[in-house]
Amino acid sequence: MKLRGGNIIRFILLLTIISLFFLPKNTFGQATKKEVYGIVIDTAGNPLKGVSVHLTSSRDTLFTSTSATGYFHFGRVLGNDIRISCTQIGLSILERSYPLYNSSTAKLDVGKLTMFPHVSLLKEIVILKYKPIVYKQDTVQFNLDAFQFDRRALLEEALKALPNVQVSRDGSVYAFGKPISSVKVDGKRFFGGDVLTATRNLPADFVKSVQVIDFYGDEATAKGIKSTESEKILNIVLREDKKKITFGQATVGGGTADRYLGSIGVNRFDNGKEYSVVSSINNTNTNLFSFGSPNGGEREREMGELADFADPTDGVNKISSVGASFSSPLSKTVNASGKYSFTQRNNYTVGNSLLQSIYGSGKGVNTSISNYEDYRIKSVDRTHKMDWDFDMKLSPKDQLKISPKLSWTNSTSRTLKDRRIKNNRLSSTGNYEAANSTESPAAALDLFYTRSFDKPGRKILYTFHTDFNALDKDEVLHDNNKGIDSTATPPKITETFLNQMIRTDNESKNIQSRLSLVEPVDLGGVLEINYDIDYTKIDANRSTFDHTNSEKEPIFIDSLSLKYNYSFSSNKVGMIYRQDVGKNVKLNFGFAVQASELKGALTGQDNPASYPNVNFVPSAGLKWKFTKEEDLSIDYYGRNNQPNFYQIQPVVDNTNTQNIVVGNGELKSEFANTIVSKYRKSMTGKGQYFEASFAYNLVNDKIVADRTIEPNSTIQKTTYRNTDGYFDIKSYYLFTASLFSDNLQLSLNGNGDYYNNISYINDKKSFGGHILITQAIQFRYAWNDIFEAELNGNYSLNRATFDWPFRDNITAHSGIVGLGSKAYLGKHFTMGLELSQKFNAGYSSSWSNISPTIINAYMEYTFGRNNLGMLRFQGFDLMNQNTGISRAVVGNDILDVQNNRLARYFMLSLNIRLQKYPKKT
């Protein structure tokens, strides 16, 4: 029976599951909801405000705090054997039990609870463990004992239970709206900081607490002056009895559509020493080092897409990888860590794209070139990576950190395209084929040194960075096109053929050095004086050969070949002054003078082009801490952005005969002015958190595309130039709260971005406004160890407007509604369901399946000692509709892309967790 593409079935499924999600608790077991309330007072009979009240029962774990009158209230208590604990710094813990309470009146008035002053410091330590969240200056700590999650789970599942922390299906972790970039275990990088290796290998019951840290870099940490935006990192604090243990897991799985998965990982923690070996092979798009989990996917999405349970990786991939890491003290003063990994990825992508390029003739006639392509891409990438860190304490006052890195990548690919281009009554059809082989070795070295002096706060800091990157590429391409000019009678037909061999040999070298002196001054201020050097050199060699006649030797094309040397150098001297104004306000301001120079020359050229420039770079910042839980920060940064090689190379690149690119060797570097503000407020007693940020970025001498259209053709030509007028505005907010009880959590977040894009179209300056708006909502519900679910919704607007060649806008809407639920059936069985429905509008009308429905389901059975074995049966994409859709706006181009993704399959997998504890003595 066919019901218009299954729309009625989708609606019924979605309505049924959402109804189950919001069923009241008494639907399952007819539990009676009870109210528990009382008043907390001190020994003088005065009410105590802000006392943390913790209620546990056979079915509840609830938190609240007392009001100004000392009153507290729990309105949805399900269990019996009620226990109440009251804590406040300076007072002894008060505990009361009501083990036999099961009144039919469903109300429990505990009366007045009196708290006494404490005299033991040990009591303070005990109090801290009851606090679920501890806020520090740049760190938020979640104590896992205070949160509800399945104790058999890996850390990834436990993170989902933490407020302000989100985990997407592919394993991406977001904290307070920002992606987690790195992971440490007990302050040391675990497997090179790889997020998935930690979250999908560490058992949750090993972890005492999880710290979300705003990390500004080693230099900022050492000198206490933050001059850049922070990144979010996780520090996982292990329990004391789990700091010496060997653990790991192995997974094997097979399924329909020839899907398979195999992985193994072994880890050793030994009181500060860490060793890991992991390996995996699969064709389920499992991300690198996400071993031991039958789930798959890559971290390529934004936080607003948490509602999407589809696999986000384009194409179908076969991945094999192996890696090893260690972290260990080499002596009392030297600690070392290192990581090696090898990955091979075979990718096959089938897709199509629509590129709309908006032009005008200058005489009131509108011109828009549309380029529709069907393509198939096969590629193989092999990558070796090695990273090391050596932390050395040369003396009590001298510390040195050295971090070398090496990598080597070999890639081969083949691309086939069929294109259809139209420009009013001009059209072109053609096919394109390219095969290439690439080798890319790279090396880098980072060094950080700091020395402290007898005078408190006085420091010298030195940072050094150098890297080397090379690219050796051989490419063979064939581009055939047939053009039809319908303005002529009869239509005029032209055919073009391009057969080229291109050999590319590029090398890039970069050196950055910074010396800083930090000096405390009178009135509690700190002065920093710094000197920076930045030097980049690129040597590019490109040889192009005409290979039209395959029976003869290729003919060298001098006009399409080059040997080019390019360098960028800058010297910057500056100062920053920081002052604490009272206990709650911190100010910093400073300036720098930066002299820079761009040089470029063709090999053998007598007079190389040179473009010197001098910039005045101010900086300023304000941080105002209104209360312990509320603060505001405003910062200004200035920086130079140099052009890349492909924007300045003075040679024609016609590898795409319909879009010819010519670099501009006279480009100047950009100068960006950025203002960032952030407001945060935590309401711990109410279980609420709010954060908002606003950023404005103004770029002088912005490097933009200069696009022209060849007369009476579908051929476009692109070069680059500097211009003023570009700016962008970015805003973000996050609000989380507990609804009714801690069992139901609400999360709201949204982004609003505006880009005032500048481009040149047929030599006329054009302003193109680009608006991106995203709004997401999430409900998370947990019912003890029985049921948990997430209901997500996301809407995004992508709108591009143009003021020339004619006023117009192109708008795309997309929305996702997703539900993920999990039910624990006894001690051994778990069932899960993931459903997401996409809604897309405004994209290419020729696309099929533009609003796919994704349904995933699984069942798990745990067995063995401590349930360390797990058998899992899962079905992925039951409706067989997974596909990828995206839109990008650059200058006068609107690009819509649709690619294939991993489709329906069923898999049975076996996972064994391995744990070995040391023998007790």
Side-chain angles (χ1 to χ4, degrees), residues 315-364:
V316 177
N317 299 272
K318 297 180 181 179
I319 306 170
S320 56
S321 51
V322 63
S325 74
F326 78 95
S327 178
S328 176
L330 300 182
S331 67
K332 293 183 178 180
T333 59
V334 179
N335 189 81
S337 63
K339 169 190 171 184
Y340 165 79
S341 65
F342 168 76
T343 305
Q344 176 171 309
R345 181 190 296 268
N346 297 57
N347 174 272
Y348 178 60
T349 300
V350 178
N352 53 66
S353 64
L354 175 64
L355 176 64
Q356 303 172 74
S357 302
I358 301 172
Y359 290 89
S361 66
K363 298 181 180 180

Side-chain angles (χ1 to χ4, degrees), residues 135-140 214 216 226 584-586 622-635 677-682 689-693:
Y135 292 92
K136 303 177 183 178
Q137 184 172 357
D138 293 317
T139 302
V140 180
D214 284 313
Y216 295 86
K226 304 163 188 176
N584 300 324
V585 179
K586 294 183 178 181
L622 164 68
K623 185 166 185 177
W624 192 341
K625 195 173 184 67
F626 304 111
T627 66
K628 291 182 179 180
E629 297 185 332
E630 183 180 12
D631 61 70
L632 170 70
S633 63
I634 303 175
D635 294 284
S677 62
K678 180 184 291 186
Y679 172 79
R680 299 185 301 182
K681 182 175 178 62
S682 233
Y689 177 85
F690 177 77
E691 177 177 302
S693 67

Side-chain angles (χ1 to χ4, degrees), residues 27 108 112 131 154 230 271 321 377 395 435 446 533 735 741 777 782 811 837 846 887 903 908 914 919:
T27 303
L108 172 60
K112 294 182 179 181
K131 298 185 68 174
L154 296 174
S230 66
N271 293 323
S321 51
I377 304 172
S395 73
D446 288 281
I533 298 175
F735 173 73
S741 73
I777 184 172
T811 303
Q837 175 65 61
S846 63
R887 164 164 289 186
L908 180 66
L914 313 170
K919 294 182 179 180

Side-chain angles (χ1 to χ4, degrees), residues 251-296:
T251 301
V252 61
T256 61
D258 297 323
R259 299 289 160 225
Y260 58 85
L261 171 69
S263 66
I264 187 169
V266 179
N267 310 274
R268 171 66 176 169
F269 291 163
D270 188 0
N271 293 323
K273 300 178 182 179
E274 298 172 8
Y275 307 93
S276 298
V277 177
V278 290
S279 181
S280 175
I281 182 170
N282 69 86
N283 63 355
T284 58
N285 286 354
T286 301
N287 195 23
L288 307 183
F289 307 116
S290 59
F291 307 123
S293 170
N295 294 329

Side-chain angles (χ1 to χ4, degrees), residues 109-124:
D109 182 359
V110 301
K112 294 182 179 181
L113 304 178
T114 304
M115 298 187 69
F116 295 85
H118 76 82
V119 295
S120 173
L121 294 177
L122 291 177
K123 288 292 184 180
E124 280 191 293

Side-chain angles (χ1 to χ4, degrees), residues 744-759:
L744 183 59
Q745 299 282 335
L746 165 70
S747 177
L748 286 170
N749 69 85
N751 296 75
D753 301 340
Y754 177 79
Y755 300 85
N756 189 55
N757 288 318
I758 309 293
S759 61

Side-chain angles (χ1 to χ4, degrees), residues 46-64:
N46 300 316
L48 291 175
K49 176 184 176 182
V51 175
S52 296
V53 184
H54 179 198
L55 182 149
T56 59
S57 74
S58 58
R59 300 178 63 182
D60 302 278
T61 300
L62 306 175
F63 293 90
T64 188

